[in-house]
């Protein structure tokens, strides 16, 4: 737990972008390890989905989508893959301003021999948003974040994730082998261009 805490904090101290939460200070105190992050009064997009606040999502969708993509593009350009892109990790305030949070499983993009010998012990991420390469424990690349972002956009427009399964293995298998229905199947307001 301490290692995860410090990993998340160290990643956050290296990232400075308006759409990524910034970690200001790390304390490795033996009895009370903690970190301090910037204050951003908001809730997650998961709260908006659970509260069925689709009017807010519709009103701010383009702003949210643009900021989400911009923040992840910045992280990827700095050599990091978030690896857990989902509505829960998107803080969005009442004005539609967004910041990415939760770098606990964020990974450096391996290069050279590191890529060749990369082997993850277990698949990490949230099953409804995991890219096939994450499920198959391949080296992290920005494509995994793009896939998770696509699943997130789908859920924000359709009100549900692109895939559901009766078990975790069933869900992961669908992520690898199936094509989801268009979001229009669940939300008639979604345009052809958005689909």
């Amino acid at each position: 737990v301490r290692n995860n805490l410090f990993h998340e904090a160290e990643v956050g101290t290296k990232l400075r972008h308006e759409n990524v939460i910034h970690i200001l200070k790390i304390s490795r105190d033996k009895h009370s390890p903690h970190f301090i992050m910037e204050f951003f009064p908001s809730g997650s997009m998961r709260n908006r989905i659970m509260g069925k606040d689709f009017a807010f999502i519709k009103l701010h969708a383009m702003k949210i989508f643009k900021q989400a993509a911009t923040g992840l593009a910045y992280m990827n350009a700095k050599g990091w893959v978030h690896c857990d892109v989902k509505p829960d990790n998107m803080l969005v305030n009442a004005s539609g301003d967004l910041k990415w949070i939760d770098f606990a499983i964020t990974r450096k993009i391996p290069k050279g021999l590191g890529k060749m010998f990369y082997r993850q012990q277990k698949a990490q991420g949230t099953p409804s948003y995991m890219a096939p390469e994450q499920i198959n424990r391949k080296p992290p690349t920005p494509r995994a974040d793009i896939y998770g972002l696509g699943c997130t956009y789908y859920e924000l427009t359709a009100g549900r994730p692109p895939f559901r399964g009766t078990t975790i293995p069933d869900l992961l298998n669908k992520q690898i082998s199936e094509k989801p229905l268009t979001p229009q199947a669940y939300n008639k307001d979604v345009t052809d261009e958005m689909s």
Side-chain angles (χ1 to χ4, degrees):
V1 171
R2 286 176 66 96
N3 287 343
N4 282 347
L5 177 81
F6 293 138
H7 171 75
E8 177 169 4
E10 285 165 8
V11 171
T13 60
K14 294 173 182 157
L15 301 172
R16 288 196 182 268
H17 188 274
E18 64 185 354
N19 301 125
V20 179
I21 204 79
H22 183 64
I23 307 297
L24 304 169
K25 182 179 176 184
I26 305 171
S27 171
R28 296 178 182 272
D29 181 80
K30 185 176 180 181
H31 301 293
S32 62
H34 64 275
F35 61 79
I36 299 169
M37 68 176 68
E38 69 176 293
F39 180 61
F40 185 66
S42 63
S44 74
M45 285 306 295
R46 171 66 58 215
N47 294 345
R48 299 274 184 189
I49 293 168
M50 297 301 288
K52 300 196 182 304
D53 193 357
F54 298 114
F56 173 88
I57 295 170
K58 186 175 181 180
L59 178 65
H60 296 288
M62 294 312 294
K63 183 177 182 181
I64 291 168
F65 290 0
K66 182 178 180 183
Q67 291 178 87
T70 302
L72 287 176
Y74 166 80
M75 288 184 70
N76 296 161
K78 290 293 184 184
W80 295 97
V81 180
H82 190 287
C83 296
D84 202 16
V85 173
K86 59 183 178 180
D88 312 63
N89 291 334
M90 300 165 73
L91 295 183
V92 179
N93 67 17
S95 301
D97 299 316
L98 175 144
K99 288 192 185 282
W100 284 106
I101 61 167
D102 191 354
F103 313 123
I105 62 171
T106 296
R107 296 290 172 255
K108 260 299 205 194
I109 300 170
K111 303 207 182 292
L113 290 176
K115 186 169 21 174
M116 188 181 300
F117 292 107
Y118 180 88
R119 188 67 178 158
Q120 192 169 308
Q121 295 301 314
K122 63 177 186 170
Q124 289 185 303
T126 304
S128 291
Y129 311 92
M130 285 173 67
E133 53 264 43
Q134 281 178 279
I135 295 166
N136 291 321
R137 300 183 294 163
K138 296 201 172 157
T141 71
R143 290 182 305 225
D145 284 350
I146 293 168
Y147 184 91
L149 190 59
C151 292
T152 299
Y153 287 173
Y154 188 104
E155 184 170 4
L156 294 177
T157 56
R160 53 157 283 163
F163 300 104
R164 289 184 173 162
T166 53
T167 63
I168 298 294
D170 179 42
L171 174 58
L172 296 178
N173 186 53
K174 287 179 179 181
Q175 296 281 80
I176 293 170
S177 62
E178 291 188 15
K179 184 176 177 180
L181 294 173
T182 172
Q184 289 173 316
Y186 306 103
N187 181 353
K188 302 281 188 254
D189 290 337
V190 176
T191 63
D192 291 339
E193 293 82 8
M194 184 66 191
S195 288

